[in-house]
Amino acid sequence: MRNRESGAFDDNAWYRFGRNQNLDKQVFTKLIVAQTVPSMRVCADLVGAYYLNNVRVNGILPARGADELFLLGVLNGPVSDFVFRRLGKPKQGGWYEANKQFIAPLPIPIVTAANQTSVANHARRLQDRWTRRRQLVSEVGDRLSVLARQPRPIRWLWPDLPELPEMMDAAPRGLRLTTDRRAWAEAQLRELEATRFEAMQSALGRGGRRNAEFENGELRLILGGEVILDKIYLDDESGRFIACYWRWLLLSGPAKDSVKFASELRRPPALSVAPAARQFIERVEALGVEIAAIEDDERERNEILYEAYRLAPEERILVENGSEPRRQSSRAV
């Protein structure tokens, strides 16, 4: 290493780069975006604290005099995301390359000073909220990891499903052997379960309200504003604890596969008086509050941006239908 550049590096700083590697630009205020993203997800480094390698993580330097927080709000908005995912180079799994040639053409609206300030304020607040959300998700996961799980059978989710002996009694009379009647009954139960999974899969693909409720001794799961699971009767303390766990599953990320999701629903933590259990509940409640605040802030910011872009009603519908949920956004520092 010391012999590099004909001995020019033969000193106590022999480990240094041969070129500046853009190190002189890293201390600037900048926006940060991963090189591969499922949608536009940008965060701001307002004090030049982060050094980027410009291979897996790209930096955006605002033009002189530009408000970096306003740009942050615009780039994270639904219109920029809509345009980006139609300009960007698609990759496997619904991901896109967020390179300069796909970001530079994104439209930046001309707004009044008041609206620019409002978008910037929302952007700053949202970055703080997304950072807090990420921290809470980590804290909830840590506490859940030390709690014992109490797996339940699949019929626990659908108590109205018939039991195996009941189904065997309903087998065709031509099946005289117990093994044949059992095989027939098990096949029928699998079909009934598959029907329930299909209904859950359809509900997972819809928008609308999602929640887990425990009222009057009954645990219920609501997806897309529709009750998907109900008639699960529990004692009060256990019911509230499992409802909290189900809310965590809904808040921690959008489930895509109904079979895997149902498997997680059937693995709640066992009721416990350990501090981790109490802290788990507290942080799930805080996470719900934070996500609700994020949704409110994003809705207000989006209204300003829709007006700034002067979208017609049908154009707004097109943007909203073509934008993906932001629950998994990584816009945090």
Side-chain angles (χ1 to χ4, degrees), residues 186-258:
E186 290 175 343
Q188 294 300 307
L189 286 175
R190 286 195 295 270
E191 288 186 13
L192 290 174
E193 292 168 6
T195 301
R196 304 297 174 93
F197 284 129
E198 289 174 4
M200 181 180 286
Q201 188 68 56
S202 177
L204 288 173
R206 295 195 297 266
R209 186 169 71 97
R210 296 185 173 195
N211 195 21
E213 299 177 346
F214 180 74
E215 296 179 355
N216 297 322
E218 181 186 19
L219 178 65
R220 305 194 306 169
L221 180 71
I222 297 151
L223 298 177
E226 178 184 351
V227 177
I228 300 300
L229 300 176
D230 61 355
K231 299 180 181 178
I232 303 173
Y233 300 110
L234 304 167
D235 62 76
D236 287 349
E237 194 172 6
S238 178
R240 287 192 295 268
F241 192 45
I242 294 176
C244 179
Y245 168 71
W246 279 14
R247 283 193 290 272
W248 152 249
L249 293 178
L250 295 173
L251 293 170
S252 59
K256 296 182 179 180
D257 183 87
S258 61

Side-chain angles (χ1 to χ4, degrees), residues 237 271-278:
E237 194 172 6
L271 191 62
S272 171
V273 296
R278 174 179 52 79

